[in-house]
Amino acid sequence: CCSILLFCSNPASAGSALQQLLRIPQASLLLDGDDPVSRISYQAEIQRIPASTLKILTSWLAIQQWGLDHRFHTDFFLDTKHNLWIRGYGDPMLVSEEIELIARALAASGIERIANIYKDESYFQPGVSVDGQSSSDNPYDAPLAPLAANFNTIHVLVNKQGIQSAEPQTPLTKTARQLSIRMKPGRHRVNIGDARLSGRYFAELLQAKLRQQGVETAGVIRSAAIPAGLPLYYRHRNSNTLDTLLKSMLRYSTNFTANQLFLMLGAEKYDAPASMEKSRRAAMDKISSVFDWPGFEIREGAGLSRSNRISSSQMIELLREFQPWKDLLYSDIQGVQAKTGTLKGISSYSGYLEKAGEITPFALFIERNVSFDFRKRVARELLDTLATPDARYSFGPSQTMAAFGSRPSSSTSKGINLR
């Protein structure tokens, strides 16, 4: 049988989070130190559900495709009858402030009147389905679309005076009012529910912003393909770079942004219309060109699907590649920059520990219910082991993996060394 050595900064802490973790058969952990003294491995080759830690991979794919300075764009066309035509390409950051910049640019170009607005949403396949996404009205379940405002969500205040926008920068539009009509009093942020409303909501906000700029616009909003030969009038490049977008996505774990990027990756390689199948192929093409990952599976880019699979050792390989961009990850613990992942019965945490200027990647996956702060307690203890690598507490040689409720896997057959 294999012996197990547990090294930690507090030898007397038999109930430490790290020790509790080793009693969870459904857990995997890898701390990738530069030498055997600082390496911790527990079932690191077992495929696990990554939840939102998968957004690190989506971020890496986006950086490889576009680079951090990239700005996504939306195209505008104007015909001889003063109709405005819009083609969206999936820009995830078309928030109210950005739509105001578009309205200002159009007004500054000399446009005084717009008859009708036509929206071309052909860049995405209609009715894109995301594995693991529910039909709730929560913002994290917002539908995907090539033309979307405010992450395809509305933010309203319902009170005795009626329905109002809960944001000063966002006018209350017809679509927002219709979606709010049956809401109870209070402040609500919900997604628009139906992707077919996406382009309409964007166009309504643009209409309102154009009126604020003195542009007359009172026509209809319709879906239609851009007429062949109609010249480009204005290309709006988002004021936010991919760098800014990824920082926000990773901090707030925005599912909408992650899967918009994922869809756009597929369309970039295999042409429009974007589909999940094209995006999975494009992702696997890139991943296979860099990594050798047997058993890995990616179904979408946000970590919603329980069919996504990655091992701790594979995540560590990714983190090594991602290290030049580690500052994109949020830090709410001194010395830890990492991404959490949470689904029902799933708790994950992956990123980097920094101690005395040394950067050490770690990947933790747990496929059972644990307390919400458990993964961060583990991370803090891992950080402590890096601070005091010589402190150790040893389980006796008679204890085997069975003492922790699991059998040795290929990653644990030589024992576990926690330092």
Side-chain angles (χ1 to χ4, degrees), residues 243-418:
D243 178 277
T244 302
L245 185 155
L246 292 178
K247 283 180 180 175
S248 176
M249 179 193 80
L250 289 167
R251 176 170 183 177
Y252 299 108
S253 203
T254 316
N255 296 329
F256 172 82
T257 299
N259 272 324
Q260 287 279 114
L261 292 174
F262 192 69
L263 273 175
M264 295 160 70
L265 286 165
E268 286 271 330
K269 180 159 188 177
Y270 294 112
D271 299 325
S275 70
M276 277 296 173
E277 179 55 36
K278 288 179 182 178
S279 295
R280 285 192 287 268
R281 286 167 53 201
M284 289 304 297
D285 287 347
K286 181 61 181 178
I287 291 164
S288 298
S289 71
V290 177
F291 305 108
D292 180 17
W293 284 356
F296 170 80
E297 181 67 32
I298 186 167
R299 304 300 298 169
E300 43 80 43
L304 292 167
S305 175
R306 290 176 179 270
S307 295
N308 293 324
R309 288 290 188 278
I310 191 169
S311 68
S312 293
S313 62
Q314 291 166 349
M315 178 61 79
I316 289 295
E317 288 186 62
L318 171 64
L319 289 168
R320 291 185 197 131
E321 289 288 325
F322 193 73
Q323 190 162 325
W325 307 286
K326 71 178 182 64
D327 288 340
L328 294 173
L329 291 168
Y330 180 60
S331 174
D332 61 353
I333 300 174
Q334 182 71 30
V336 181
Q337 285 181 289
K339 179 74 190 76
T340 57
T342 308
L343 292 171
K344 186 176 181 180
I346 304 294
S347 183
S348 56
Y349 201 32
S350 295
Y352 306 91
L353 305 176
E354 183 171 0
K355 182 65 69 172
E358 295 294 323
I359 307 298
T360 306
F362 76 98
L364 168 64
F365 301 121
I366 306 170
E367 295 183 328
R368 58 164 279 185
N369 290 321
V370 293
S371 63
F372 186 76
D373 68 338
F374 181 74
R375 56 194 164 191
K376 294 190 176 181
R377 288 166 50 208
V378 171
R380 289 187 182 97
E381 291 182 22
L382 291 174
L383 197 59
D384 288 342
T385 68
L386 296 176
T388 54
D390 293 331
R392 61 178 61 190
Y393 171 64
S394 175
F395 284 97
S398 63
Q399 292 183 276
T400 67
M401 287 301 297
F404 296 96
S406 64
R407 297 177 180 176
S409 68
S410 59
S411 63
T412 59
S413 58
K414 294 182 181 179
I416 303 175
N417 294 322
L418 302 186

Side-chain angles (χ1 to χ4, degrees), residues 113-247:
R113 180 174 69 88
I114 287 174
N116 304 302
I117 295 180
Y118 296 95
K119 49 193 176 65
D120 185 334
E121 300 167 280
S122 60
Y123 196 67
F124 283 12
Q125 188 180 73
V128 174
S129 177
V130 179
D131 187 30
Q133 186 177 62
S134 75
S135 57
S136 81
D137 63 0
N138 287 310
Y140 53 74
D141 282 326
L144 307 178
L147 197 58
N150 296 321
F151 312 104
N152 259 344
T153 65
I154 62 169
H155 191 191
V156 295
L157 177 64
V158 181
N159 56 27
K160 292 180 180 179
Q161 285 72 46
I163 301 168
Q164 306 169 40
S165 173
E167 301 169 336
Q169 73 274 23
T170 306
L172 183 67
T173 72
K174 180 180 179 181
T175 294
R177 186 178 294 277
Q178 289 174 340
L179 291 172
S180 309
I181 200 70
R182 296 182 180 178
M183 290 182 181
K184 297 178 180 179
R187 189 180 295 266
H188 305 272
R189 183 181 291 278
V190 299
N191 74 67
I192 65 170
D194 189 339
R196 292 173 294 184
L197 294 175
S198 176
R200 169 169 287 278
Y201 183 50
F202 173 88
E204 288 174 354
L205 286 175
L206 180 59
Q207 270 187 330
K209 295 288 187 180
L210 285 167
R211 292 183 192 121
Q212 291 173 1
Q213 298 300 317
V215 177
E216 179 187 342
T217 170
V220 299
I221 297 171
R222 292 176 179 163
S223 294
I226 305 292
L230 188 64
L232 179 67
Y233 183 80
Y234 169 62
R235 169 164 287 179
H236 181 76
R237 297 190 183 276
N238 202 294
S239 62
N240 295 286
T241 62
L242 182 64
D243 178 277
T244 302
L245 185 155
L246 292 178
K247 283 180 180 175

